[in-house]
Amino acid sequence: MMSSPATRPDRIHIPLSQKAVRGLELDQELRDSSIAPDRSLLVSEMEGTLRCDERVVSMGEMIVEHNGGSLRTFSGNRAHENGWWPSFKQRRLQHWEGETQRQALMALECDFSVEWAQSEPCLVRFPIGDEWFEWYADIQVSRFNAPDELWEIKKDERQLEDPRYRLKLAGVREICRRIGWRFRLVMADEIAINRHHCDNVELFASRRFVSIGPEHMRRFEDFALRNGTQTTYGELANIIEPNCPARGAAIIQGLTVRRRVEIDLREFLTNRTPLKMH
């Protein structure tokens, strides 16, 4: 069942005015569709009006858990599939609702550019005109050397047909712009782009807690020192575990989550698939 909304005393209410940042030239680059194509452009028809409405930030607030965990928790009894999933990167349970959100959490766990991802991270409350809106973010993503992202996850564009819903998302996008974050509207086909990608993400994420011994890391680092950081999936598996390459492959999968291996998971993996050691 889902926990009660954001009125509990152990939750932190942060006025958006405290997070607002002025003069965000970086944001102009992020919102340039020629630089970063983004489906959040689908909700931008109210952009001019919202930019002139200071109340969106001056009266709005962001509500988060005091420990940074999921604001909403799920354990069954919902219209969609739901549950929880332990993350290695975030070192806590990630609550999810819908297979698309679960797939996104696994993909982010294996993404080399991602420091951590948190599901159901916050509730944003804000006014547009005379109406108040509430929006629960699906995922917050922290990347290295990039602004934080708040994700709204949908199966496809048909779920955006309601004009009032698009207005709410436009308000969220404007808030993210003003606080120096990035709002992303993410569709299912952007998370798992093909069957190979889906299968690889499922496999690599399942190895996130694999046991990696000091002998494995010694072989890993010795090989990188002698031969450089560029190699192949099969060669590294044999180096890490000479007597059992399948075990070596499992360790590579765990090292990918730990950001010691960078590998493209969008294609069918073979022993000749290139990777980079870090």
Side-chain angles (χ1 to χ4, degrees):
M1 298 179 66
M2 187 177 70
S3 62
S4 59
T7 55
R8 286 170 25 186
D10 57 340
R11 291 177 174 171
I12 302 171
H13 293 241
I14 306 169
L16 292 174
S17 58
Q18 293 184 7
K19 299 178 72 67
V21 181
R22 306 299 177 184
L24 293 175
E25 286 74 15
L26 173 62
D27 175 73
Q28 297 299 321
E29 178 178 316
L30 289 173
R31 294 172 58 255
D32 186 335
S33 59
S34 67
I35 297 174
D38 194 329
R39 274 164 156 154
S40 66
L41 296 172
L42 293 169
V43 299
S44 63
E45 66 270 14
M46 292 295 295
E47 180 178 0
T49 301
L50 292 171
R51 277 175 173 264
C52 300
D53 190 350
E54 286 297 324
R55 298 191 312 151
V56 170
V57 168
S58 64
M59 296 180 64
E61 66 176 356
M62 180 180 292
I63 301 165
V64 299
E65 283 286 357
H66 72 284
N67 62 359
S70 296
L71 196 67
R72 296 191 296 178
T73 60
F74 307 103
S75 57
N77 196 28
R78 301 285 293 168
H80 300 93
E81 313 99 314
N82 64 86
W84 46 264
W85 187 83
S87 165
F88 177 87
K89 285 184 174 179
Q90 189 66 332
R91 305 289 182 167
R92 63 160 57 98
L93 294 181
Q94 300 294 310
H95 291 265
W96 57 270
E97 183 178 22
E99 185 60 29
T100 306
Q101 187 179 17
R102 175 180 173 273
Q103 186 74 32
L105 288 169
M106 291 191 296
L108 292 165
E109 192 86 347
C110 303
D111 190 329
F112 185 80
S113 71
V114 172
E115 182 179 8
W116 54 262
Q118 176 61 50
S119 68
E120 305 295 328
C122 63
L123 166 63
V124 182
R125 299 181 69 251
F126 57 94
I128 298 178
D130 296 328
E131 187 174 5
W132 278 82
F133 291 86
E134 292 189 349
W135 177 74
Y136 283 94
D138 286 324
I139 299 179
Q140 179 180 350
V141 181
S142 176
R143 298 185 188 272
F144 292 91
N145 302 316
D148 277 9
E149 302 171 6
L150 289 182
W151 284 23
E152 173 78 358
I153 298 175
K154 294 297 176 190
K155 285 188 176 181
D156 53 50
E157 284 89 345
R158 289 176 296 178
Q159 295 186 302
L160 301 172
E161 293 176 351
D162 182 1
R164 184 175 179 275
Y165 181 64
R166 293 201 307 271
L167 175 61
K168 176 167 69 172
L169 295 185
V172 173
R173 178 181 167 179
E174 174 63 13
I175 287 168
C176 287
R177 184 188 73 83
R178 296 200 198 184
I179 67 176
W181 290 7
R182 182 183 180 191
F183 169 68
R184 287 203 60 202
L185 181 60
V186 181
M187 303 297 172
D189 61 3
E190 296 175 282
I191 296 168
I193 64 172
N194 54 42
R195 178 175 58 83
H196 298 311
H197 192 199
C198 182
D199 291 346
N200 291 336
V201 162
E202 189 91 36
L203 173 61
F204 276 60
S206 73
R207 305 293 193 192
R208 61 196 182 280
F209 294 113
V210 69
S211 177
I212 302 176
E215 69 280 10
H216 300 131
M217 293 310 302
R218 183 177 63 253
R219 294 170 191 151
F220 177 91
E221 291 169 355
D222 287 348
F223 179 84
L225 286 173
R226 292 195 312 268
N227 301 281
T229 59
Q230 304 287 342
T231 184
T232 63
Y233 193 36
E235 182 177 29
L236 185 57
N238 278 287
I239 291 297
I240 289 176
E241 190 57 85
N243 297 321
C244 184
R247 168 71 175 168
I251 291 171
I252 291 174
Q253 293 151 17
L255 289 172
T256 301
V257 174
R258 290 161 172 79
R259 301 188 69 257
R260 297 300 305 273
V261 169
E262 186 175 2
I263 185 170
D264 187 351
L265 300 182
R266 295 171 296 180
E267 303 296 337
F268 181 73
L269 299 182
T270 71
N271 284 338
R272 291 191 292 271
T273 297
L275 59 80
K276 184 175 182 181
M277 305 164 67
H278 290 268

